[in-house]
Amino acid sequence: MAEAHSAVAFSFSITHEGWDVNFDREVLHLVWQSGIRSWKKRFFRFVNNLRSGVYPASLESLWLTLTVVTAIHFAGYKVPYDLVGKAAPYLSGSSVLAHLAGSFIVGLLLWLVVIYVIRYTFKLLLMYKGWIYESREKGSSATRVTKVWTTLVKLFFGWHKPMLYSFQGSLPRLPLPSVEDTMKRYLRSVRPLLDDENYARMETLANEFQKGIGVKLQRYLILKSWWATNYVSDWWEDYVYLRGRSPIMVNSNFYGIDAILMYPTNVQVARAASVIYSCLQYRRLIERQELEPILIQGLVPLCSWQYERLFNTTRIPGRETDKITHYQDSKHIVVYHKGRYFKVLIYHKNRILQPCEIEM
């Protein structure tokens, strides 16, 4: 009971002598600091998502567009189709405020249209796959189409440095191959593994699938590909990854070691603290989107969505299928030692603990 009372930050009691208020300043300060840290992370996450959402443009271009539209309108020139003049009568307030509000709305709409056109154009450029089949031999040169494509793609990169999730909205959808093409590639892949008799049997099964249930399944995939950027990722996660009943410690989970090139120390707890600190620094880079997205040949971006669940994520086991739970923030890590789990705090006064502090 004494421990429970000591854990309460605020208490209020009424006795025959009057009322009494007790509070723990240190606990209230920790609660306040925790709230401030949480709201800061939400704010910066919102700003970073907004910056990534308008890439390759920037938020500064919005203010420039609003300024130009307002200046042109008040200079007596008509913004395209006199949109500001047509919108002003429908806005309440004085004439000047109505025209300012109209300029803001029209400028914002024009900016959004331009952003959409730029992002869609960039997505169309990323759909080009001819660069994959270009010769990489010494002395060979790319085709004229690939050279033009490379120049256009570089124009989008030249505006400002991309953030981790800057390309997510511009990535093309996963292309859906036809059933016939899938069967041809499947038969070509199994041909070296089968003799003539078994391969002939496999051809028969492939033809039956292509003319039978494959047609119906293809319609489902086409329907899903219309509203999902990747028609297979969520099904793979739900029906293959989370329903796998084999041990995940060595078959699925990733791990890291600190003894690749050198041994910094022979003290195990010190090495563990250094690894933890390095992981926390890496998590901070992900949260702030300061990591650069992976680019193939410095041009074609890869999807960065998996970074989102690299930390603050746990897999909750189930009888038939597991469930992935992701948290927006986490202030502790879990240490497993000799059959027991320990909760270790990693923050103190809104800062990450140093390796020597984690070691203690």
Side-chain angles (χ1 to χ4, degrees), residues 113-175:
V113 170
V114 173
I115 293 299
Y116 177 80
V117 172
I118 292 176
R119 289 172 64 86
Y120 192 76
T121 303
F122 189 41
K123 178 180 289 189
L124 291 177
L125 288 174
L126 293 179
M127 291 181 181
Y128 174 70
K129 298 296 185 294
W131 62 273
I132 300 178
Y133 307 101
E134 295 286 349
S135 176
R136 302 300 193 275
E137 296 181 0
K138 184 180 295 185
S140 61
S141 60
T143 61
R144 182 176 301 177
V145 175
T146 301
K147 290 181 179 179
V148 173
W149 171 82
T150 302
T151 303
L152 293 176
V153 172
K154 287 183 177 180
L155 289 177
F156 287 92
F157 284 94
W159 294 14
H160 61 278
K161 182 179 178 181
M163 304 180 71
L164 180 60
Y165 303 121
S166 294
F167 298 110
Q168 291 304 107
S170 301
L171 295 177
R173 297 175 180 270
L174 181 67

Side-chain angles (χ1 to χ4, degrees), residues 43 52 110 150 165 170 214 261 325 351:
F43 173 75
S52 298
L110 290 176
T150 302
Y165 303 121
S170 301
L261 299 177
T325 301
R351 68 171 180 85

Side-chain angles (χ1 to χ4, degrees), residues 37 41 45 254 279-280 283-284 286-287 307-315 324-333 346-347:
R37 175 176 174 271
K41 294 192 68 173
R45 185 182 295 117
F254 69 92
C279 291
L280 294 176
R283 186 184 75 157
R284 174 179 289 182
I286 295 176
E287 291 176 343
Y307 284 98
E308 178 70 22
R309 299 189 300 180
L310 187 59
F311 295 96
N312 310 338
T313 306
T314 183
R315 176 172 173 169
I324 292 181
T325 301
H326 177 73
Y327 301 93
Q328 292 297 328
D329 192 15
S330 178
K331 303 175 184 177
H332 69 275
I333 62 172
I346 54 177
Y347 279 89

